[in-house]
Amino acid sequence: MDHSLPMQDNIILTDAYRRQFSYLRLSITDLCNFKCNYCLPDGYQGKSSQNELSLDEIKTLVSSFAELGFKKIRLTGGEPSLRKDLLKIIEICKSQLGIERVCITTNGYKLNQFLPEWIAAGIDQVNISIDSLSPEQFELITSSSDLPMIMAAIHSAIEDGFTAIKINTVLLREHLDSQVKPLIDWVKDKPIALRFIELMQTGENTELFNRQHVSANKIKSWLVAQAWNKKNRSIHSGPAIEYEHTNYLGSVGIIAPYSKNFCDSCNRLRVTAQGQLHLCLFSEDGKDLRPFLQAGDVAQLTQFLRASIYEKLPKHYLQQQQTGATRNFSMLGG
Ligand code: SAM
Ligand code: SF4
């Protein structure tokens, strides 16, 4: 189905630094059942129900972002698959005129059960967080023993012809040996996109960050030495730098938030599970969209978003340890 809007309606949201925004990262729940040591080391501490956006509110939100020229929505969390109405949310996003891609980021919990359902609902891409290919180290990092099931579900999806899979791996000094090389070897004969993400400091992980942070530049130099070539970037590429290799079916992307000019290619906005707009992952605060969402007022919301974008700062200040309001990524979706 052609989901593109007619050109005259398709005016892309642009900020004061001429960056264009077409990608919404929508958190649909703060809840998470894993305890990743860099994110929620003690597990999710809140109540089970936390005033999440309703389906009607999500409809209003998605319709307004589509009007602003957004083309891609990523559902994230917390763990988005913990939301019982996830399939309905995928359907709402998929049926919105203007939205061309609906993606999800998941920890892989019950992937064997959910992945076929998401594919049937029309999901365009699934990002799965796998921080190590060693089940023992995976469990040390996440507290979950699900790695064998997650790997089996991925292999079965590929066999069935679904290859829109990306793997997110947060680089951790202590676990590098079971991360970079084993994962790259794994995608030699699989059409999977790896993403190595440099660990970012948040309000709650400073001690771990100081121990485990590794610069993604180390991986870049290693890739270049192994004859991986940088792919050409398009205006919609976003901040990942991608590499390909003639002998590998899979590709490798590097997300290096501490590198110079990282924010120049920012193309995304974030909305929390409670309807707060965050102009940056490390914003000092969110902007409450809830009144517009509760009223179902697409026109007013669109106007508010157009005005808000001018407050977006040119860059984050993570190098100065300014992590903003972000205590951990589960509250914002990463
Ligand atoms: N629960 C889902 C998952 O883990 O895939 C979705 C939400 S999670 C917050 C989104 C992504 O953020 C995951 O790939 C996770 O590894 C990454 N992440 C979490 N905390 C991070 C941090 N401090 N630095 C870098 N990436 C982080
Ligand atoms: Fe949960 Fe994802 Fe955070 Fe891990 S990274 S604790 S899976 S929200």
Side-chain angles (χ1 to χ4, degrees):
M1 201 200 304
D2 181 8
H3 266 213
S4 48
L5 278 172
M7 273 316 276
Q8 68 271 24
D9 296 332
N10 203 358
I11 300 155
I12 304 248
L13 191 69
T14 305
D15 76 357
Y17 307 94
R18 295 193 174 190
R19 292 174 297 192
Q20 296 191 328
F21 297 86
S22 56
Y23 174 17
L24 170 65
R25 294 182 67 106
L26 172 60
S27 172
I28 55 173
T29 183
D30 289 344
L31 278 180
C32 190
N33 53 341
F34 279 20
K35 299 178 181 173
C36 300
N37 58 12
Y38 47 80
C39 182
L40 289 177
D42 302 318
Y44 180 75
Q45 299 290 313
K47 290 184 280 184
S48 57
S49 157
Q50 352 92 71
N51 200 18
E52 291 159 350
L53 294 180
S54 68
L55 294 178
D56 282 343
E57 288 175 303
I58 291 175
K59 217 178 266 179
T60 301
L61 183 83
V62 165
S63 155
S64 178
F65 274 93
E67 217 163 271
L68 290 164
F70 278 58
K71 295 185 168 32
K72 173 173 166 184
I73 298 177
R74 175 171 303 285
L75 302 173
T76 177
E79 176 46 38
S81 62
L82 291 176
R83 242 187 104 150
K84 299 219 164 26
D85 52 3
L86 173 61
L87 284 182
K88 289 210 178 80
I89 297 175
I90 295 175
E91 280 162 19
I92 288 172
C93 298
K94 281 294 294 182
S95 60
Q96 174 60 53
L97 200 64
I99 299 301
E100 294 169 5
R101 288 180 70 70
V102 181
C103 312
I104 188 167
T105 301
T106 175
N107 63 23
Y109 161 76
K110 286 201 180 164
L111 200 60
N112 51 353
Q113 178 190 329
F114 293 138
L115 191 50
E117 288 180 9
W118 299 342
I119 296 171
I123 200 87
D124 292 290
Q125 188 191 64
V126 180
N127 282 24
I128 304 159
S129 299
I130 298 181
D131 289 331
S132 171
L133 276 190
S134 145
E136 293 75 29
Q137 296 195 36
F138 182 90
E139 187 162 354
L140 270 180
I141 299 166
T142 63
S143 85
S144 159
S145 56
D146 288 339
L147 183 67
M149 175 279 288
I150 294 170
M151 297 301 283
I154 294 173
H155 289 143
S156 143
I158 295 173
E159 269 168 32
D160 291 346
F162 183 80
T163 56
I165 297 175
K166 285 191 179 174
I167 304 297
N168 286 356
T169 303
V170 177
L171 296 167
L172 298 166
R173 180 178 296 284
E174 184 190 349
H175 299 284
L176 273 190
D177 287 348
S178 69
Q179 297 189 308
V180 183
K181 189 156 180 320
L183 276 158
I184 292 178
D185 288 348
W186 179 57
V187 301
K188 189 157 194 202
D189 59 354
K190 290 172 199 68
I192 285 186
L194 297 177
R195 287 290 166 105
F196 291 114
I197 306 173
E198 190 168 332
L199 177 65
M200 290 170 245
Q201 187 173 356
T202 63
E204 292 176 348
N205 76 4
T206 300
E207 194 271 327
L208 177 125
F209 174 84
N210 289 336
R211 262 189 299 121
Q212 300 285 6
H213 177 253
V214 188
S215 166
N217 287 332
K218 200 171 159 171
I219 315 299
K220 277 193 211 166
S221 326
W222 186 85
L223 286 171
V224 172
Q226 304 295 317
W228 285 80
N229 297 309
K230 220 190 245 191
K231 283 193 195 176
N232 288 336
R233 291 171 65 76
S234 82
I235 187 171
H236 301 299
S237 290
I241 300 169
E242 297 191 330
Y243 293 82
E244 59 192 351
H245 193 295
T246 41
N247 299 338
Y248 287 73
L249 259 188
S251 64
V252 178
I254 303 283
I255 300 186
Y258 290 86
S259 62
K260 205 165 163 257
N261 303 334
F262 178 77
C263 302
D264 292 359
S265 54
C266 185
N267 61 353
R268 59 205 57 197
L269 295 179
R270 295 173 166 83
V271 174
T272 70
Q274 292 77 33
Q276 297 276 319
L277 170 73
H278 283 247
L279 294 168
C280 170
L281 187 47
F282 300 101
S283 297
E284 287 301 333
D285 50 21
K287 289 177 174 293
D288 192 9
L289 306 182
R290 208 81 196 242
F292 306 112
L293 299 175
Q294 282 170 345
D297 195 337
V298 175
Q300 288 290 321
L301 176 57
T302 306
Q303 207 176 330
F304 182 79
L305 291 169
R306 275 201 192 289
S308 299
I309 196 68
Y310 287 101
E311 292 176 39
K312 187 169 162 76
L313 298 177
K315 60 202 248 345
H316 66 61
Y317 296 92
L318 263 188
Q319 286 87 347
Q320 291 79 37
Q321 285 81 47
Q322 289 183 27
T323 54
T326 305
R327 297 190 307 281
N328 54 63
F329 280 13
S330 89
M331 58 179 273
L332 207 52

